[in-house]
Amino acid sequence: MARIILKFKELVLKNFSLQDGGKTIGRAPGNDVVLENLLVSGHHARIDQAGGDYILTDLQSKNGTYVNGTRITTAKLKHGDQILVGKHTLVFELDAAQVSTADKDMVEATMFVQSAGVASGLLPVQTVPGVETAAGPTPVEPPGILSYLSGGKGEHELTKKLVKMGKGEEADIQIGGFLTPKVAATISKRPTGYHITPMTGRVKVKVNGTPVEGSQRLEEFDTIEIGAVVFQFYFGN
């Protein structure tokens, strides 16, 4: 079972299990991990589970999110990673069985690459965890597009890695409504595709008529409903 350990300097403050899915991190009271520090944005970052992986996403915070000293936009977390948010550190940990499985998979992948190189008359290649070897050009995925079905006109091309939707000045896609918060939802582009994540319970975010809980991967031609606005998601040319 994965967890994050909240620390201030060397003092352990609290443990948070990731068994039930993602966790939101920020200064606002509605977050799962609340950090009362002026360096922390109201909705600062989020951890989501994608299969057996855990993805950390910075929600365009003012002061940034860091993993092992490097500022990130999105990052796949590894056992022992240290996440810095403001002045607090969150240590990401897997249980012993998950760590052993991850180590085994990495060793087997390395052996396969080396064996393939020897069989083809090439020298074995030493792989470095987290660094991909060159394997020709990477296919370019077409950008995602949101097209209004009701509540607006036109369309929005999802060119940013993280798109905010709401009525605040920081929102990339403006959505009106008295109850609509500054940021009602975000759409993040990840290696596994586009994912929509509600940021508050004040306005329900629905995909194909079903309320979204946590984070959900978008499929082409999904309908997204936020308040009185309805979009259709599809891929451009």
Side-chain angles (χ1 to χ4, degrees):
M1 178 174 58
R3 65 174 180 168
I4 48 176
I5 303 172
L6 176 63
K7 300 173 65 177
F8 182 76
K9 296 183 178 180
E10 296 303 317
L11 178 65
V12 175
L13 302 179
K14 194 172 182 180
N15 293 344
F16 296 88
S17 170
L18 297 174
Q19 183 178 12
D20 55 348
K23 286 285 183 287
T24 57
I25 305 165
R27 197 172 73 249
N31 288 285
D32 300 303
V33 182
V34 178
L35 304 177
E36 297 180 355
N37 187 298
L38 293 178
L39 294 176
V40 180
S41 299
H43 298 283
H44 196 103
R46 183 180 182 92
I47 298 175
D48 292 296
Q49 186 174 3
D53 296 325
Y54 291 86
I55 308 298
L56 172 67
T57 303
D58 178 79
L59 302 177
Q60 292 187 336
S61 62
K62 182 178 180 180
N63 294 301
T65 302
Y66 295 80
V67 176
N68 302 328
T70 301
R71 186 167 183 168
I72 61 94
T73 302
T74 61
K76 183 168 72 173
L77 294 173
K78 304 184 300 297
H79 177 71
D81 278 348
Q82 298 199 24
I83 306 164
L84 181 65
V85 177
K87 294 186 177 181
H88 289 79
T89 300
L90 297 99
V91 182
F92 176 76
E93 288 191 349
L94 299 168
D95 62 25
Q98 289 174 304
V99 173
S100 298
T101 300
D103 290 343
K104 180 181 177 182
D105 290 344
M106 183 180 70
V107 170
E108 289 180 350
T110 302
M111 291 176 64
F112 175 81
V113 172
Q114 292 177 343
S115 298
V118 171
S120 61
L122 300 176
L123 292 175
V125 178
Q126 291 186 342
T127 59
V128 179
V131 178
E132 297 182 356
T133 57
T138 302
V140 177
E141 183 184 56
I145 293 176
L146 294 182
S147 178
Y148 284 97
L149 295 179
S150 64
K153 295 181 180 180
E155 60 187 28
H156 295 277
E157 186 173 336
L158 305 177
T159 56
K160 299 172 67 174
K161 287 187 176 180
L162 184 72
V163 175
K164 296 182 179 181
M165 309 167 72
K167 70 176 181 182
E169 293 182 358
E170 66 268 43
D172 303 291
I173 299 177
Q174 291 290 320
I175 297 177
F178 179 73
L179 295 177
T180 304
K182 292 182 178 180
V183 180
T186 63
I187 295 180
S188 57
K189 185 177 182 181
R190 305 176 188 172
T192 54
Y194 288 89
H195 293 250
I196 187 167
T197 305
M199 299 307 300
T200 175
R202 291 171 57 189
V203 173
K204 289 294 183 183
V205 177
K206 299 180 181 180
V207 172
N208 301 327
T210 302
V212 177
E213 300 293 340
S215 182
Q216 181 172 327
R217 183 177 182 271
L218 293 173
E219 302 290 344
E220 190 164 25
F221 306 122
D222 278 349
T223 58
I224 302 168
E225 180 182 346
I226 303 177
V229 179
V230 181
F231 300 96
Q232 184 173 57
F233 172 80
Y234 65 95
F235 291 105
N237 296 324

